[in-house]
């Protein structure tokens, strides 16, 4: 290269730079080496037989230059800097509305750390990008081959450290905007941004701009917009070399960049050797940073045996297209907000100014269809003749660097249109803008451009002028003026993946939801009304929506009316659906399976058999399998696995969740199944023995709170009947409670409640202990914790609600204010934090006990202060007064008695008034036919007994004497009742 440097194309430029370095630095030093090295990089890239086309990602100038060069050169092979394994997806771009992103996704990893999963790589594509022009040209031009030569998605993670992909300094707004790409690693073609922070700060300060996107637009986009091909290439080579030579010495990043360049040149040489293609017929599209490469493998004649491509790992990659947006691209690649939208506007303006026809994929969604030709009129299509290529390109850098910035005339019509449009948009959003504001924006834009050494105001100057002239102290609407300018310049365009390019699962979802007759592919919220009573076919749509709610992010499918629980099915449902907005999540579901049922089953298995799985999580998977899949096979399998996990757990933290889910599953199986599944019977049996074993330890363990211990007792007491029927021994529970000796007050109260439930402690003794706690001044500060234990005891022993109400009432009634007020906040916070779900039971019991009116409270006596009564005395009948109530009633209404006597066939008449009325026993003797009928009804064969001479039995003895068999039958009947 020394000879070519002395007499080469850029010899004059080298001399000028050498003199400049000597002048500014006072002699040869590092500055001279950098400047001359940059010229060497440009000369090397220009002399390469395989034409290198340097680009910058999402640059309208690069896209215009690419479209012009493709029509001039018409290459037969286009080498593109993009992951080589993404090539099959590029043909699907024609079914999408740009911008979209090509994605490689791996849900399970093999060869990478497990905590890296899932892996995702995205490459966003917009119409105003050079790579899209190359793709459209290669795919729609017969005889042209498109070859992706960059490292594969697998090598992206092989070569890069995981921590390097995290965005630094990203705020909440940026994170929300980047949601379309998620946590994917972005692959950017033409990464042109200085990696030296001081250099970027210097460029921004002296360029009088705020951020890098504005600097690039002002000093690269505008000068290169109308430049010729050679000038464009040499300038981009120079910029890439500058940033490369001033890059910081990050060894890992430099190594990755150089390995990528070696990888790409190796792939290109392999393709040239395999196909025999002439390098003159090829075009290599890459970032300007990589175009100015200094690796040994650079060029078609570079070293071939110094680099070996490592094999891929065993990770299985899935590929697809996901929707992207301008905001997502800006957030992921660190661009200024609105810069991609401004680039799209500049692209459209450049096409109109140059009258250049861009390349678009045939059938591309979101583009205008060509108009129909008029009959009888043919349009001549000019033949494009490739321009003759000079042997060595002329030096265009010297003239470009010496020429002052082109003073483009002020486009007053465009600026006036912007000023009028922003005022109109401000009025619609609540600003008090007028025509005077439009004039002020126009003049201020020109003023700002002059202060920044610009002849023509840029969109960024106009944006600053609009904010200065229109925005006041507050924003009346949702959008500020800066956001209104971004919307006016094109807004945040969001792409959409077409139906034909969706994975099978996504297409299946749209097909199964077709009966809803909604445009679910569009963005926004759609309201779906499902009346399964009148349209039973909508039941299948309901099943799909509930699975989508389980699998997709919140907001994709949100139920407004209707619910789905164990044993519950709604006949009418209402949903808010935003599948178009969450299209990326739906597409990534397609990477996991071909149907929703398959993906849900895989996720349930992954949750149940994961290393962090607990009994509660497995029971939740059982419930979901029953609700959404209605799969008895999967439910039994997961339930058996839950049984195994329960037997191995040594912690009681998950007991509340286990109790809640087991109760729900038991209630469901008892009402919907003829017999209980075998796994849940074994679960109850094993859980009874397991929790009995852990109970004494849990009472003593300081780390175990009162809630899980109460849940253990709730499991033991609520499942006791079923467990005993399955062969468990109640003695085990009694021994476990007897061996429990807690020290913490709440657990002590919980133990007392368990003893009451088992019968080893009476309610009177429990009340006495509570009274003793209030009488002891040393225990009073801890009394709220005892109350917390009593409230938690309502879970296993709900019958103690009245005792808890009594304990709380006694505390408020007996303690003085000096003692009560200090621990009242502690009582409230304890009950709220530890027993919020049990408080309603306590409140209902208090409402039942206390009077309903305030006036009755003064005379109200609590039930626990009422004098106790003997229950046997209350049940014993009182002696009847000496008043012949029955006889008086019969004599007062003789007609009723005559009718009954006639019905029974009694011929006797009424007794005389002076004759005393017979007693009940004498009545039986006086009417033996009635007694015989009763005896026959009861099946008694015995007859009347003959009374002993002189005996006059009365009362109950008369019954046993006259009719002993009837008495025995009545006694046996009463005893059985």
């Amino acid at each position: 290269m020394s000879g070519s440097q002395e007499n080469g194309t850029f010899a004059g430029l080298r001399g000028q730079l050498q003199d400049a370095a000597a002048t500014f630095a006072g002699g040869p030093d590092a500055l001279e080496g950098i400047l001359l090295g940059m010229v060497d990089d440009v000369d090397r890239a220009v002399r390469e037989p395989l034409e290198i086309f340097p680009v910058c990602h999402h640059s309208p100038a690069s896209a215009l230059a690419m479209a012009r060069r493709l029509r001039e050169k018409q290459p037969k092979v286009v080498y593109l800097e993009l992951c080589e394994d993404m090539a099959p997806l590029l043909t699907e771009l024609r079914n999408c509305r740009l911008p979209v992103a090509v994605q490689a996704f791996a849900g399970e990893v093999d060869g990478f750390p497990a905590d890296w999963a899932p892996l995702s790589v995205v490459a966003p594509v917009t119409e105003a990008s050079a790579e899209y022009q190359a793709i459209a040209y290669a795919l729609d031009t017969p005889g042209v081959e498109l070859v992706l030569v960059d490292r594969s998605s697998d090598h992206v993670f092989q070569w890069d450290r995981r921590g390097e992909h995290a965005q630094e300094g990203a705020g909440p707004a940026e994170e929300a905007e980047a949601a379309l790409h998620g946590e994917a690693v972005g692959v950017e073609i033409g990464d042109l941004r200085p990696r030296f922070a001081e250099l970027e700060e210097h460029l921004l300060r002296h360029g009088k701009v705020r951020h890098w996107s504005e600097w690039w637009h002002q000093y690269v986009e505008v000068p290169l917009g109308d430049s010729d091909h050679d000038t464009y290439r040499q300038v981009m080579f120079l910029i890439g070399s500058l940033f490369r030579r001033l890059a910081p010495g990050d060894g890992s990043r430099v190594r990755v960049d150089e390995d990528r360049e070696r990888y790409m040149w190796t792939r290109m040489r392999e393709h040239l050797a395999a196909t025999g293609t002439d390098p003159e017929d090829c075009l290599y599209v890459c970032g300007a940073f990589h175009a100015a490469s200094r690796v040994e493998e650079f060029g078609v004649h570079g070293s071939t045996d110094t680099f070996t491509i490592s094999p891929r790992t065993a990770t299985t990659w899935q590929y697809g297209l996901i929707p992207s947006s301008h905001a997502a691209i800006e957030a992921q690649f660190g661009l200024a907000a609105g810069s991609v939208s401004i680039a799209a506007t500049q692209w459209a303006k450049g096409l109109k100014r140059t009258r250049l026809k861009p390349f678009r994929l045939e059938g591309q969604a979101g583009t205008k269809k060509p108009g129909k030709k008029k009959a009888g009129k043919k349009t001549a299509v000019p033949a494009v003749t490739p321009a003759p290529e000079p042997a060595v390109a002329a030096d265009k850098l010297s003239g470009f660097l010496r020429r002052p910035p082109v003073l483009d005339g002020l486009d007053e019509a465009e600026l006036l249109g912007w000023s009028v449009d922003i005022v109109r948009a401000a009025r619609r959003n609540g600003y008090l803008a007028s025509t005077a504001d439009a004039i002020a924006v126009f003049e201020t834009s020109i003023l700002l451009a002059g202060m920044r050494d610009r002849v023509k105001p840029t969109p960024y100057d106009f944006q600053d002028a609009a904010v200065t002239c229109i925005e006041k102290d507050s924003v009346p609407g949702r959008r500020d003026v800066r956001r209104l300018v971004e919307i006016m310049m094109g807004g945040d365009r969001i792409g959409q993946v077409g139906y034909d390019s969706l994975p099978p699962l996504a297409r299946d979802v749209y097909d199964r939801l077709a009966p809803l007759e909604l445009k679910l592919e569009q963005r926004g919220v759609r309201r779906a009304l499902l009346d399964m009573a009148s349209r039973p076919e909508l039941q299948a749509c309901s099943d799909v929506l509930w699975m989508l709610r389980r699998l997709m992010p919140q907001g994709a499918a949100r139920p407004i009316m209707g619910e789905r629980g164990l044993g519950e099915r709604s006949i009418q449902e209402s949903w808010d659906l935003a599948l178009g907005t969450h299209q990326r999540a739906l597409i990534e579901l397609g990477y996991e399976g071909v149907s929703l049922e398959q993906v849900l089953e895989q996720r349930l298995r992954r949750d149940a058999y994961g290393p962090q799985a607990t009994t509660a999580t497995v029971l939740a998977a059982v419930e979901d399998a029953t609700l959404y899949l209605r799969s008895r096979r999967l439910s039994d399998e997961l339930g058996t696995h839950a049984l195994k996990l329960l037997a191995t757990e040594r912690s009681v933290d998950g007991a509340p969740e286990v109790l809640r889910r087991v109760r729900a599953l038991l209630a469901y199986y008892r009402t919907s199944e003829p017999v209980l599944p075998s796994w849940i019977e074994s679960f109850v049996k094993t859980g009874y023995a397991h929790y009995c074993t852990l109970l004494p330890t849990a009472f003593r363990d300081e780390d175990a709170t009162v809630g899980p211990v109460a849940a253990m007792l709730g499991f033991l007491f609520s499942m006791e009947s079923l467990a005993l029927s399955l062969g468990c021994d109640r003695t085990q529970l009694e021994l476990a409670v007897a061996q429990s000796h807690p020290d913490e007050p709440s657990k002590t109260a919980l133990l007392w409640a368990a003893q009451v439930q088992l019968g080893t402690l009476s309610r009177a003794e429990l009340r006495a202990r509570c009274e003793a706690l209030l009488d002891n001044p040393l225990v009073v500060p801890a009394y709220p914790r005892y109350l917390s234990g009593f409230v938690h005891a309502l879970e296993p022993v709900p019958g103690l609600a009245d005792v808890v109400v009594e304990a709380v009432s006694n505390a408020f009634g007996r303690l003085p204010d000096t003692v009560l007020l200090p621990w009242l906040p502690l009582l409230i916070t304890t009950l709220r934090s530890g027993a919020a779900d049990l408080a309603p039971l306590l409140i209902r019991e208090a409402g039942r006990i206390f009077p309903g009116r305030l006036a009755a409270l003064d005379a109200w006596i609590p039930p626990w202060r009422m004098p106790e009564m003997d229950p046997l005395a209350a049940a014993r009948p009182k002696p009847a007064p000496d008043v012949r109530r029955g006889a008086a009633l019969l004599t007062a209404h003789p007609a009723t008695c005559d009718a009954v006597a006639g019905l029974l066939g009694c011929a006797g008449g009424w007794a005389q008034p002076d004759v005393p009325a017979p007693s009940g026993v004498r009545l039986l003797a006086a009417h033996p036919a009635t007694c015989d009928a009763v005896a026959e009804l009861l099946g008694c064969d015995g007859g009347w007994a003959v009374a002993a001479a002189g005996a006059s039995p009365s009362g109950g003895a008369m019954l046993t004497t006259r009719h002993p068999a009837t008495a025995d039958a009545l006694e046996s009947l009463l005893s059985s009742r």
Side-chain angles (χ1 to χ4, degrees):
M1 290 287 294
S2 60
S4 63
Q5 291 177 4
E6 294 293 339
N7 303 314
T9 305
F10 300 97
L13 180 60
R14 285 191 182 89
Q16 296 175 18
L17 293 178
Q18 191 171 10
D19 295 339
T23 301
F24 287 103
D29 60 355
L31 177 60
E32 180 181 352
I34 293 176
L35 294 178
L36 296 182
M38 291 165 51
V39 179
D40 293 340
D41 293 340
V42 175
D43 192 15
R44 184 186 186 189
V46 169
R47 291 178 179 273
E48 174 59 34
L50 175 59
E51 181 179 340
I52 304 174
F53 195 95
V55 300
C56 178
H57 197 46
H58 306 303
S59 168
S62 295
L64 289 172
M66 173 62 72
R68 282 195 298 263
R69 186 55 181 166
L70 289 174
R71 294 194 179 278
E72 293 173 358
K73 184 179 178 64
Q74 295 185 356
K76 297 179 180 179
V77 178
V78 177
Y79 297 112
L80 184 61
E81 178 194 345
L82 190 62
C83 295
E84 59 183 1
D85 52 340
M86 294 182 176
L89 283 177
L90 299 182
T91 57
E92 300 294 336
L93 289 175
R94 66 179 75 252
N95 299 321
C96 306
R97 185 175 68 244
L98 300 180
V100 296
V102 186
Q103 182 185 37
F105 183 89
E108 299 179 357
V109 296
D110 187 357
F112 299 105
D115 57 344
W116 286 16
L119 304 179
S120 180
V121 179
V122 297
V125 179
T126 62
E127 187 176 356
S129 58
E131 61 270 23
Y132 175 75
Q133 295 299 308
I135 292 171
Y137 164 78
L139 294 182
D140 283 352
T141 304
V144 177
E145 183 179 3
L146 177 65
V147 182
L148 306 186
V149 294
D150 199 2
R151 55 181 176 168
S152 66
S153 304
D154 197 272
H155 288 90
V156 171
F157 292 95
Q158 285 188 36
W159 294 355
D160 292 358
R161 294 199 303 267
R162 185 64 169 175
E164 294 176 352
H165 305 316
Q167 298 181 19
E168 297 181 359
E174 294 177 348
E175 294 176 359
E177 291 170 348
L180 287 176
H181 293 176
E183 298 179 356
V185 176
V187 177
E188 185 173 7
I189 299 177
D191 182 8
L192 269 189
R193 185 164 185 169
R195 300 179 183 176
F196 195 27
E198 288 78 2
L199 173 61
E200 182 173 348
E201 181 182 356
H202 177 82
L203 293 175
L204 298 183
R205 184 175 65 253
H206 288 274
K208 299 180 180 180
V209 294
R210 293 167 299 170
H211 43 71
W212 172 250
S213 300
E214 186 176 357
W215 184 93
W216 181 267
H217 176 271
Q218 177 65 26
Y219 295 99
V220 179
E221 289 290 335
V222 175
L224 291 181
D226 297 327
S227 62
D228 60 275
H229 173 63
D230 291 335
T231 302
Y232 170 83
R233 289 184 68 207
Q234 294 175 21
V235 171
M236 293 295 286
F237 286 145
L238 183 68
I239 296 175
S241 178
L242 172 65
F243 294 159
R244 189 184 189 93
R245 289 183 177 273
L246 294 181
D250 187 351
S252 61
R253 187 164 185 178
V254 172
R255 175 186 57 81
V256 170
D257 289 333
E258 293 179 349
D259 285 346
R260 290 181 64 186
E261 293 157 6
R262 295 186 179 100
Y263 194 105
M264 289 187 285
W265 281 110
T266 301
R267 290 301 193 202
M268 284 186 285
R269 283 195 299 269
E270 291 176 354
H271 182 268
L272 290 173
T275 59
T277 307
D278 187 358
E280 295 292 337
D281 296 331
C282 303
L283 186 67
Y284 172 35
V285 183
C286 68
F289 188 88
H290 298 292
S293 175
R294 302 189 303 273
V295 297
E296 298 179 1
E297 293 79 6
F298 179 86
V300 294
H301 302 299
S303 301
T304 58
D305 55 352
T306 56
F307 179 74
T308 303
I309 298 177
S310 60
R312 302 183 188 180
T313 65
T315 301
T316 302
W317 290 88
Q318 305 285 339
Y319 301 93
L321 298 172
I322 62 173
S324 183
S325 67
H326 292 173
I329 297 173
E330 294 161 358
Q332 186 165 15
F333 298 110
L335 304 177
S339 59
V340 179
S341 299
I342 292 176
T345 303
Q346 294 299 315
W347 159 254
K349 182 179 178 181
L351 292 177
K352 184 178 180 180
R353 183 183 67 252
T354 60
R355 297 182 180 180
L356 179 65
K357 183 179 180 181
F359 291 96
R360 289 189 177 95
L361 289 172
E362 185 179 356
Q364 179 74 63
T367 60
K368 296 181 180 179
K369 297 182 180 180
K372 296 182 180 179
K373 299 180 181 179
K374 294 183 179 180
K377 186 176 181 180
K378 296 182 179 180
T379 303
V381 180
V384 180
T385 304
E389 296 289 341
V392 178
D395 178 13
K396 298 298 183 71
L397 275 178
S398 300
F400 183 84
L401 295 177
R402 287 196 306 264
R403 185 174 65 248
V406 179
L407 301 180
D408 192 359
L410 176 61
D411 190 354
E412 295 186 4
E414 180 186 42
L415 187 58
L416 283 174
W418 287 354
S419 302
V420 173
D421 290 341
I422 189 58
V423 169
R424 184 185 297 112
R427 287 176 179 174
R428 288 197 300 264
N429 286 268
Y431 289 92
L432 299 177
S434 62
T435 306
D437 293 317
I439 299 174
V441 171
F442 178 84
E443 298 294 341
T444 305
S445 301
I446 300 175
L447 177 62
L448 289 176
M451 295 173 60
R452 296 168 179 173
D453 296 333
R454 306 171 188 173
V455 176
K456 178 182 178 180
T458 66
Y460 300 98
D461 299 328
F462 171 76
Q463 188 178 54
D464 293 341
V467 172
T468 303
C469 300
I470 297 178
E471 194 166 80
K472 303 302 185 290
D473 296 336
S474 61
V475 178
R478 295 183 303 169
R479 302 182 179 94
D480 57 5
V481 175
R482 188 174 303 276
R483 178 58 180 159
L484 293 178
V485 173
E486 294 175 6
I487 295 175
M488 191 186 69
M489 291 293 176
D492 183 18
R493 298 181 185 177
I494 301 176
Q496 182 182 11
V497 180
Y499 176 86
D500 295 331
S501 299
L502 292 174
L505 181 142
R507 293 200 299 267
D508 179 63
V509 168
Y510 285 130
D511 293 341
R512 295 167 68 176
L513 295 180
L516 298 180
E517 298 178 357
L518 297 175
K519 297 180 180 179
L520 300 178
E521 298 86 356
Q522 298 179 357
R523 294 181 59 84
V525 179
R526 300 288 184 271
R527 176 62 60 87
L529 302 177
L530 285 73
D531 185 4
M532 278 78 76
S534 60
R535 297 181 60 188
E537 68 274 9
L538 295 181
Q539 182 63 48
C541 297
S542 175
D543 297 338
V544 173
L545 293 177
W546 283 109
M547 285 188 286
L548 289 176
R549 180 177 179 268
R550 172 65 171 76
L551 295 172
M552 294 189 65
Q554 185 179 6
R558 186 169 64 94
I560 304 301
M561 181 183 68
E563 60 181 353
R564 175 160 293 193
L566 290 174
E568 299 178 358
R569 291 292 186 273
S570 302
I571 61 174
Q572 288 183 338
E573 293 177 357
S574 177
W575 291 80
D576 276 351
L577 304 178
L579 298 183
T581 305
H582 296 82
Q583 192 180 43
R584 168 183 166 267
L586 182 61
I587 291 173
E588 291 188 351
L589 277 182
Y591 299 151
E592 303 182 41
V594 297
S595 65
L596 289 176
E597 289 79 5
Q598 180 186 3
V599 173
L600 181 56
E601 182 172 347
Q602 290 177 356
R603 290 196 179 184
L604 293 178
R605 290 181 185 275
R606 184 169 63 245
D607 295 342
Y609 292 96
Q612 304 298 327
T614 61
T615 306
T617 57
V618 179
L619 290 178
V622 173
E623 185 174 344
D624 289 343
T626 305
L627 278 178
Y628 304 117
L629 299 178
R630 303 174 186 175
S631 174
R632 181 65 179 272
R633 169 191 55 81
L634 182 60
S635 301
D636 292 346
E637 177 187 344
L638 297 180
T640 305
H641 182 61
L643 176 62
K644 297 178 181 178
L645 290 181
L646 178 65
T648 58
E649 284 186 352
R650 293 296 176 263
S651 174
V652 299
D653 296 337
E657 187 70 12
V658 170
L659 174 61
R660 184 179 67 85
R661 295 196 179 277
V662 168
R663 280 179 174 174
L665 289 171
L666 267 177
Y668 170 73
Y669 286 129
R670 281 172 172 168
T671 56
S672 61
E673 301 288 343
V675 294
L676 292 177
S678 58
W679 73 266
I680 201 168
E681 293 182 349
S682 302
F683 188 92
V684 172
K685 186 177 179 180
T686 304
Y688 189 86
H690 179 69
Y691 284 142
C692 284
T693 304
L694 294 181
L695 191 60
T697 305
F699 268 112
R700 295 285 297 180
D701 189 5
E702 296 180 356
D703 295 333
T705 59
V706 64
V709 179
M712 291 174 58
L713 290 174
F715 184 94
L716 294 172
F717 289 146
S718 61
M719 308 290 173
E720 185 178 13
S721 59
L722 179 59
L724 296 181
S725 66
L726 296 174
C728 295
D729 190 0
R730 194 171 192 266
T731 307
Q732 187 177 5
L733 175 59
E734 295 175 351
L735 291 176
V737 173
Q739 294 172 358
S740 302
H741 304 286
D743 297 329
E744 209 273 329
S746 60
K747 292 183 181 179
T748 302
L750 185 61
L751 178 62
W752 293 348
Q755 292 174 349
V756 171
Q757 179 70 14
L758 292 176
T760 58
L761 183 69
S762 64
R763 286 174 172 261
E765 294 174 342
L766 180 60
R767 289 188 173 93
R769 292 184 180 183
C770 294
E771 294 287 341
L773 293 177
L774 291 175
D775 293 338
N776 190 346
L778 299 178
V779 183
V780 168
Y783 194 74
R785 287 186 286 174
Y786 282 96
L787 292 180
S788 176
F790 282 129
V791 174
H792 279 95
L794 297 179
E795 178 71 43
V797 191
L800 283 182
D802 57 339
V803 177
V804 179
V805 173
E806 177 183 349
V808 176
S809 301
N810 287 336
F812 280 88
R814 292 182 50 183
L815 295 179
D817 293 344
T818 56
V819 178
L820 182 63
L821 294 180
W823 64 258
L824 185 59
L826 176 62
L827 171 65
I828 297 175
T829 56
T830 302
L831 294 178
R832 178 179 295 179
S833 61
D837 53 340
L838 298 173
L841 178 61
L842 190 64
I843 295 174
R844 287 196 300 269
E845 183 65 22
R848 186 186 66 84
I849 294 177
F850 286 89
R853 297 182 178 275
L854 184 62
L857 187 61
D858 295 334
W860 176 73
I861 299 177
W864 53 86
R865 293 187 180 178
M866 297 290 292
E868 296 186 0
M869 298 178 58
D870 184 9
L872 297 179
R876 186 179 303 117
K878 298 180 180 179
D882 191 12
V883 179
R884 301 177 63 183
R885 296 179 180 272
L889 182 63
L890 292 177
T891 56
H893 301 280
T896 304
C897 191
D898 292 340
V900 174
L903 181 63
L904 297 176
C906 300
W910 286 88
Q912 297 299 325
D914 54 348
V915 178
S919 63
V921 177
R922 294 180 61 187
L923 182 63
L924 293 177
H927 302 280
T930 304
C931 191
D932 292 338
V934 175
E936 183 179 358
L937 180 63
L938 296 175
C940 302
D941 298 332
W944 284 91
V946 180
S952 58
S954 63
M958 187 66 182
L959 177 62
T960 57
T961 302
R962 290 293 185 182
H963 212 303
T966 305
D968 293 340
L970 290 174
E971 183 178 2
S972 63
L973 180 62
L974 293 176
S975 63
S976 64
R977 294 285 177 90

